[in-house]
Amino acid sequence: MESFSSNSARSYIGKNVNLHLKDGAVIVNVQLTALRKATGKNNTFIEYQQGNRKTTRLPLRNIAYAEMLNLNLIKNPA
């Protein structure tokens, strides 16, 4: 599997995803809001928002992959 890069992160901006981290943790149902670059090498951060909470930054190098959510299953239970 390829690593999670800024190109693949850019495709998820504005969408709800589950973020799977390299240490095995999962951040559930977050909306990716922006991709920020800081000075220096490998200093790219992804910004996400969980519900109505404040925006949080996470280094891109800590993310293994993102899993897209189907909100129709969450909002419209059968």
Side-chain angles (χ1 to χ4, degrees):
M1 177 185 286
E2 295 179 20
S3 63
F4 194 69
S5 66
S6 60
N7 288 336
S8 57
R10 198 172 288 123
S11 68
Y12 291 110
I13 299 295
K15 299 181 179 156
N16 287 44
V17 296
N18 289 339
L19 291 176
H20 295 264
L21 306 181
K22 288 184 179 177
D23 66 357
V26 179
I27 304 173
V28 179
N29 195 12
V30 297
Q31 183 177 21
L32 300 183
T33 56
L35 190 64
R36 304 278 184 215
K37 291 189 178 184
T39 58
K41 187 177 179 183
N42 293 332
N43 285 335
T44 305
F45 294 92
I46 191 83
E47 289 185 355
Y48 66 89
Q49 189 172 11
Q50 199 169 20
N52 291 332
R53 296 182 187 171
K54 210 166 87 171
T55 303
T56 307
R57 285 186 181 177
L58 182 68
L60 195 63
R61 65 180 174 267
N62 291 351
I63 301 173
Y65 65 96
E67 175 187 10
M68 189 86 135
L69 292 178
N70 186 352
L71 291 180
N72 291 330
L73 296 175
I74 297 171
K75 291 183 180 178
N76 300 324

